[in-house]
Amino acid sequence: MRKVKFSNLLDGYANFRQKIYPKHEKLFKELVDKGQSPEIMMISCCDSRVNSTQIFSAKAGDMFTLRNVGNLVPPYELDGGYHGTSAAIEYAVTELKVKLIIVMGHSYCGGIKAAYENNDAFAELDAETGKGFTRQWMSMIKEISDDIHECHHDLSERDQLKRLEQQNVLLSLKNLRSFKFVQDALDSGELEMVGSWFDLDRGIILIGNEETGEFHRIKST
Ligand SMILES: [Zn+2]
């Protein structure tokens, strides 16, 4: 089995040190002196193919970025659990006062596929194997996964998954509103939210319409 060594990353690091950092050194120093004040929060998937800063050609300091399996936002809950996603949203909205939250789903999402395939067997954590975190996390979308199975089984599997990936983005927007500080910021006009879906096949972004549930291509120059 081929081993991945940290030293394999050193060429990329050398490129950062020799070319990228010098080009942005002033910006990095400013971000240290003044602190970060990103206007955008990006919520996207852990998937290695979906790199939001690359897609939007963003610089350091532009985006407060949260990545988790399936780009999910859980509903507001007071259950004493460890809510890393909710903590990041709270910090972004109440402290950084971001003006825009973008939730970005994507095609071929492994988390969404796991939810779709395990629709009838969302599991509790398995004490014996120590596994089950992904299925438990993805059980958040059981309702919309059920809906796809029941109402859209005539579509191809890829189209069903695409629909679930996109509906999942809209569910995350809905769940964002369950946080009072998010709803307050939306009501006062200080915050906007956008749901998007990245098409890996074509390298394009589609934007969701919460009213129609449809996603449409946007123009880029
Ligand atoms: Zn994904």
Side-chain angles (χ1 to χ4, degrees):
M1 194 175 74
R2 192 175 73 88
K3 281 188 180 170
V4 176
K5 293 181 183 155
F6 180 74
S7 58
N8 293 350
L9 294 170
L10 294 182
D11 284 350
Y13 178 56
N15 183 58
F16 173 76
R17 287 296 307 154
Q18 288 159 19
K19 294 180 182 164
I20 299 172
Y21 185 78
K23 194 175 161 193
H24 298 285
E25 190 169 1
K26 191 165 165 271
L27 173 64
F28 277 109
K29 290 200 182 330
E30 270 178 24
L31 289 169
V32 170
D33 291 343
K34 295 180 184 168
Q36 65 165 337
S37 53
E39 296 192 326
I40 298 165
M41 178 180 198
M42 173 65 69
I43 301 175
S44 58
C45 185
C46 296
D47 193 298
S48 61
R49 301 164 294 183
V50 182
N51 186 343
S52 59
T53 49
Q54 181 187 43
I55 293 167
F56 291 101
S57 306
K59 301 187 298 299
D62 285 349
M63 285 183 187
F64 187 72
T65 305
L66 168 68
R67 296 177 78 158
N68 64 36
V69 174
N71 43 271
L72 302 189
V73 173
Y76 173 80
E77 280 180 327
L78 271 181
D79 62 359
Y82 296 108
H83 296 288
T85 295
S86 306
I89 294 164
E90 179 183 284
Y91 186 70
V93 175
T94 67
E95 297 295 326
L96 297 173
K97 301 193 186 305
V98 296
K99 295 180 170 60
L100 176 65
I101 298 178
I102 303 170
V103 177
M104 188 165 71
H106 69 99
S107 55
Y108 306 107
C109 182
I112 296 291
K113 192 160 191 281
Y116 174 84
E117 290 176 348
N118 293 301
N119 200 54
D120 296 325
F122 282 116
E124 296 294 314
L125 294 179
D126 185 332
E128 212 166 289
T129 65
K131 297 199 295 187
F133 289 102
T134 312
R135 284 165 73 168
Q136 191 187 52
W137 172 248
M138 294 308 300
S139 70
M140 227 184 294
I141 69 164
K142 177 164 173 43
E143 206 172 301
I144 56 171
S145 184
D146 281 344
D147 182 65
I148 298 290
H149 281 279
E150 281 167 28
C151 305
H152 299 284
H153 51 79
D154 52 325
L155 299 175
S156 68
E157 184 177 294
R158 175 86 287 275
D159 282 345
Q160 287 184 58
L161 287 167
K162 177 179 169 182
R163 192 168 180 88
L164 186 53
E165 287 155 1
Q166 295 181 346
Q167 294 310 304
N168 172 55
V169 168
L170 300 181
L171 177 64
S172 285
L173 294 182
K174 184 179 166 208
N175 286 343
L176 273 164
R177 290 198 177 82
S178 68
F179 292 83
K180 186 177 184 304
F181 48 81
V182 171
Q183 188 61 59
D184 287 349
L186 289 168
D187 289 345
S188 66
E190 292 161 21
L191 178 67
E192 284 182 55
M193 299 196 303
V194 169
S196 65
W197 178 80
F198 181 56
D199 183 342
L200 282 165
D201 283 313
R202 297 183 288 171
I204 61 170
I205 292 280
L206 304 187
I207 299 295
N209 181 322
E210 284 187 88
E211 284 176 20
T212 64
E214 300 299 323
F215 279 67
H216 299 286
R217 191 168 178 175
I218 46 168
K219 281 186 183 165
S220 60
T221 53

